[in-house]
Amino acid sequence: MAAVRICVCGDEGTGKSSLITSLVKDVFVTAKIQSVLPQITLPPSLGTPENVTTTIVDTSALPQERTALNKEIRKSNVILLVYSDHYSYERVGLFWMPHFRSLGVNVPVVLCANKSDLSASGVNAAQVIEDEMLPLMAEFKEVDSCIRTSAREHHNINEVFFLCQKAVTYPIAPLLDSKESALKPAAVSALKRVFYLCDRDQDGYLNDKEIHAFQTKCFGKPLGEDDLANIKETMSRISLDYVTEKGINEQGFLLLNKLFAEKGRHETVWIILRTFHYTDSLSLKDSFLHPKFDVPAFSSAELSPSGYRFFVDRFLLFDKDTDGGLSPTELSALFAPTPGLPPPWADSSFPSSTVRNEANYITLQGWLAQWSMTTFTSPATTLAYLAYLGFEAPDPRSTTATALQLTKARKRRKRLGRVERNVLHAYVLGSPSAGKSALLDSFLARPFSPTYHPTIKPRTAVNSVELPGGKQCYLILEELGELEPAILENQAKLDACDILVYTYDSSDPDSFSHISDLRTKHPHLDDLPALYVALKADRDKTTQRAEVQPEDYTSALGMSKPLHVSVTWESISELFVRIAEVAVWPSTGFPKSEEEMGDRTNLYIALGAVVCAGAAFVAIWRRVGKE
């Protein structure tokens, strides 16, 4: 909130200008003052809520000033409506509130009963509130609060303007449904997320340690022991269900905030919500969900060590039965403060896209692999879910972006050297029924199924691979399905790919021709590292109906012969290591140009020279020997 603009309205003679003058001068001004004061501005330094600048605008109720009045009402974000006697009180409900509605404004109204010093003796504030103000508050939901004032006695002058500031900076409307006497659904949802994040051990209760940590985070200091005891006693008087030996449960936490809102202490609720990055509309701040994080061309995003550590901790915390897998119930509990599973996970058919245990529950290995893939393909999604789940950067001034890191750009793949990446992406290409889906299943340690199911939509599988030397990386294998032609024409998709895996069925004579046709149709695929794989090697090998057989085809390119593998062999894991190796050392996966492999004239000349020199040496040696 950048500023508060208060429009002071009411009938003539109710003391509107006197209220403003009394605030500015800090005393009642007995001299005659002008009927409409000029606009005044209070700087943030005057102890205002949230340190906002406050502008106070005086108005006239005269009919000839109605245009100016309406203009100021529309510009304001809070209205101070003043009355001082029975006639001006009646006009509140008969004229002023309907007039505000007719203008289409939706701002809070603070109702002020001024000139309380002129009230009849024996009339107290409680009676005025009950007889006059509460009926208006019940009839008009726009009325945020009410107060009695006296400019002459300087009674509640600062307080009435503070209420106006508070109505804007700490609005009650988004929090409480006064007619139902209940927190609104959006407020309940936000406070449940706050409870979730503060329940560090996820036992469903805020124990004393967690409450003190929560209090310190929101208000800068822990609760006193007496204060905490009083809170628990107050809640216990309402119901014994809210407080146990373990602490305060979620319903008790919601009740506590409801009591704050009902008793006019809703600024406490707002301080809590804003500490946890909520806006006035009770949505999380966009800057919190989506901090600045740009991925340069030819680079990629990965989880940093702190990011991996956070997701490991989340997994271990919610694996309640310690069986090494997250059941649907445990997964649902983990994602409780989020909108649900990340959208990319649905696209990748999670959890079938990663490693699961015998009960089909995602394992820690699969959990980290899935987040590695999400960060690679959609870093914005990972950043948003880090925010939802409560990732806290070591430096409070930092954002969730500290959980991510950028890789070094890889522009020239043919250059010798290693690609500094821990997450690698491979497109698995080949003819229908070549065995691509079975290859992805094998990558995730799924049992082989002889039943053929054609792949329509792209399908991914992600798992960790240990490279020679012990370094671990994450490999994403993607089968493109019917979108293969479109994806291979999409340069942005190809730029994100680290290696192409050309596969064919070594027992099907028509399988390899798909690869040669593919490379002919898309010559730009030569710009990516590639590996050739002959699948179903457990079956009888057959001659391919192609102009060139696979071994001769790859030899002509100056590349290694196709690797013959079967998903039924235990050695299939070596293929995944080889795919990752070529992705990490991309220069090993490129076709050799004619200059590199075909034109070996210099080599032949050098060898000829050596042979000639050797022959000459032998001839000379023999001649010398004869002499």
Side-chain angles (χ1 to χ4, degrees):
M1 178 61 63
V4 173
R5 188 178 182 89
I6 305 171
C7 182
V8 184
C9 300
D11 288 351
E12 295 298 301
T14 53
K16 303 187 296 296
S17 301
S18 294
L19 281 174
I20 299 172
T21 305
S22 185
L23 173 71
V24 175
K25 301 291 187 181
D26 207 29
V27 293
F28 178 65
V29 178
T30 56
K32 185 177 180 179
I33 56 178
Q34 60 193 96
S35 57
V36 179
L37 296 174
Q39 170 182 309
I40 67 168
T41 301
L42 305 178
S45 58
L46 294 183
T48 57
E50 298 289 309
N51 291 321
V52 295
T53 299
T54 303
T55 301
I56 303 174
V57 181
D58 195 8
T59 63
S60 172
L62 295 175
Q64 59 268 30
E65 299 294 337
R66 193 59 48 84
T67 301
L69 171 67
N70 293 345
K71 180 181 178 181
E72 291 300 338
I73 290 173
R74 289 192 176 99
K75 288 168 62 177
S76 67
N77 48 20
V78 61
I79 296 171
L80 175 58
L81 181 54
V82 184
Y83 72 91
S84 61
D85 53 25
H86 181 72
Y87 174 76
S88 57
Y89 166 73
E90 291 291 334
R91 292 255 300 166
V92 168
L94 295 175
F95 170 74
W96 285 106
M97 295 305 300
H99 182 66
F100 298 151
R101 289 182 174 181
S102 71
L103 295 176
V105 296
N106 184 25
V107 297
V109 176
V110 175
L111 191 59
C112 172
N114 195 25
K115 302 185 180 181
S116 61
D117 55 294
L118 300 180
S119 300
S121 58
V123 177
N124 57 38
Q127 184 178 345
V128 172
I129 291 173
E130 183 175 351
D131 295 345
E132 297 179 359
M133 296 179 170
L134 290 183
L136 287 172
M137 294 185 74
E139 183 178 356
F140 301 101
K141 65 177 182 62
E142 302 95 315
V143 179
D144 180 88
S145 55
C146 51
I147 188 171
R148 295 183 77 211
T149 62
S150 170
R152 181 180 297 276
E153 296 180 350
H154 206 266
H155 175 62
N156 280 345
I157 301 301
N158 291 339
E159 287 77 2
V160 68
F161 288 99
F162 183 83
L163 283 178
C164 291
Q165 295 167 329
K166 183 178 170 182
V168 177
T169 55
Y170 305 124
I172 187 64
L175 301 178
L176 190 68
D177 186 333
S178 54
K179 289 185 178 180
E180 299 292 333
S181 186
L183 292 171
K184 290 187 175 179
V188 171
S189 177
L191 289 169
K192 281 185 175 181
R193 176 177 171 273
V194 172
F195 181 89
Y196 168 100
L197 297 179
C198 295
D199 183 15
R200 296 288 184 173
D201 56 9
Q202 287 298 310
D203 66 346
Y205 294 88
L206 294 184
N207 57 42
D208 289 359
K209 182 179 179 181
E210 290 168 339
I211 290 174
H212 288 309
F214 159 76
Q215 179 76 11
T216 302
K217 179 180 178 69
C218 295
F219 303 99
K221 59 181 180 180
L223 273 174
E225 292 301 324
D226 292 341
D227 293 332
L228 182 56
N230 290 336
I231 289 173
K232 290 182 177 180
E233 183 180 348
T234 300
M235 296 172 66
S236 297
R237 285 201 298 266
I238 297 173
S239 174
L240 295 176
D241 296 334
Y242 298 137
V243 182
T244 69
E245 293 181 356
K246 293 183 178 180
I248 300 173
N249 63 17
E250 183 182 76
Q251 290 303 312
F253 182 74
L254 293 175
L255 170 68
L256 185 61
N257 283 278
K258 175 175 170 285
L259 294 176
F260 284 140
E262 288 179 330
K263 293 183 179 180
R265 293 181 57 192
H266 42 283
E267 70 272 16
T268 301
V269 183
W270 276 115
I271 291 172
I272 293 170
L273 292 172
R274 286 172 182 159
T275 300
F276 286 87
H277 308 284
Y278 281 94
T279 65
D280 288 353
S281 61
L282 293 179
S283 61
L284 287 170
K285 292 179 181 177
D286 190 67
S287 60
F288 174 62
L289 288 177
H290 306 290
K292 183 176 176 58
F293 187 81
D294 297 325
V295 181
F298 306 106
S299 294
S300 64
E302 297 179 355
L303 288 171
S304 67
S306 62
Y308 277 114
R309 186 163 54 249
F310 174 78
F311 283 119
V312 168
D313 292 342
R314 290 284 96 185
F315 183 96
L316 297 177
L317 181 60
F318 283 88
D319 182 17
K320 297 296 185 181
D321 53 10
T322 63
D323 64 346
L326 292 181
S327 67
T329 302
E330 292 169 337
L331 208 56
S332 177
L334 193 157
F335 282 107
T338 75
L341 289 179
W345 291 25
D347 297 338
S348 65
S349 301
F350 175 84
S352 63
S353 57
T354 192
V355 185
R356 292 176 286 175
N357 61 16
E358 295 80 3
N360 279 331
Y361 299 164
I362 183 172
T363 63
L364 178 58
Q365 179 183 349
W367 172 253
L368 296 179
Q370 185 73 23
W371 278 114
S372 297
M373 179 171 68
T374 304
T375 305
F376 178 87
T377 58
S378 178
T381 299
T382 299
L383 288 171
Y385 275 77
L386 285 165
Y388 287 130
L389 294 170
F391 174 82
E392 294 181 352
D395 184 351
R397 294 169 296 180
S398 301
T399 67
T400 52
T402 58
L404 271 59
Q405 62 188 18
L406 292 172
T407 62
K408 186 177 179 181
R410 49 149 174 74
K411 295 182 180 179
R412 301 178 181 177
R413 306 196 201 201
K414 295 184 180 181
R415 176 181 292 178
L416 293 174
R418 178 190 179 94
V419 171
E420 297 300 327
R421 293 191 170 196
N422 297 314
V423 181
L424 306 165
H425 189 198
Y427 284 153
V428 181
L429 309 177
S431 64
S433 75
K436 301 184 295 297
S437 297
L439 184 66
L440 267 63
D441 288 337
S442 176
F443 185 44
L444 301 177
R446 306 275 166 74
F448 171 70
S449 172
T451 306
Y452 172 64
H453 298 285
T455 301
I456 308 300
K457 298 192 304 180
R459 180 195 168 195
T460 57
V462 59
N463 199 352
S464 58
V465 173
E466 186 174 321
L467 296 170
K471 182 177 176 61
Q472 179 177 279
C473 68
Y474 289 96
L475 178 62
I476 304 167
L477 297 182
E478 184 170 0
E479 183 185 0
L480 306 182
E482 294 184 351
L483 292 182
E484 182 179 279
I487 291 176
L488 295 183
E489 287 295 336
N490 188 324
Q491 191 58 48
K493 293 281 189 181
L494 294 178
D495 287 342
C497 177
D498 292 288
I499 179 176
L500 300 175
V501 182
Y502 293 111
T503 65
Y504 68 97
D505 179 356
S506 60
S507 65
D508 179 359
D510 298 315
S511 187
F512 186 77
S513 60
H514 180 86
I515 294 176
S516 57
D517 292 344
L518 201 66
R519 293 189 68 249
T520 302
K521 186 177 180 180
H522 305 283
H524 56 278
L525 296 183
D526 285 355
D527 294 334
L528 277 76
L531 188 67
Y532 290 79
V533 180
L535 296 173
K536 304 183 184 181
D538 55 320
R539 301 181 181 181
D540 292 337
K541 181 181 176 182
T542 186
T543 302
Q544 295 293 316
R545 295 193 185 103
E547 294 182 3
V548 183
Q549 292 302 300
E551 288 77 8
D552 297 331
Y553 185 89
T554 52
S555 295
L557 292 173
M559 297 184 68
S560 301
K561 294 181 179 181
L563 298 174
H564 288 258
V565 297
S566 170
V567 296
T568 61
W569 296 348
E570 291 185 3
S571 59
I572 187 67
S573 59
E574 297 176 9
L575 170 63
F576 307 125
V577 175
R578 180 59 185 155
I579 293 172
E581 279 187 297
V582 176
V584 170
W585 300 92
S587 61
T588 62
F590 279 102
K592 303 298 187 293
S593 65
E594 292 183 1
E595 295 176 354
E596 294 174 300
M597 54 160 285
D599 186 6
R600 300 184 178 179
T601 305
N602 292 335
L603 175 61
Y604 296 151
I605 291 174
L607 290 173
V610 171
V611 171
C612 291
F617 175 78
V618 171
I620 294 171
W621 180 77
R622 286 178 177 175
R623 181 177 296 177
V624 172
K626 290 179 180 179
E627 293 176 353

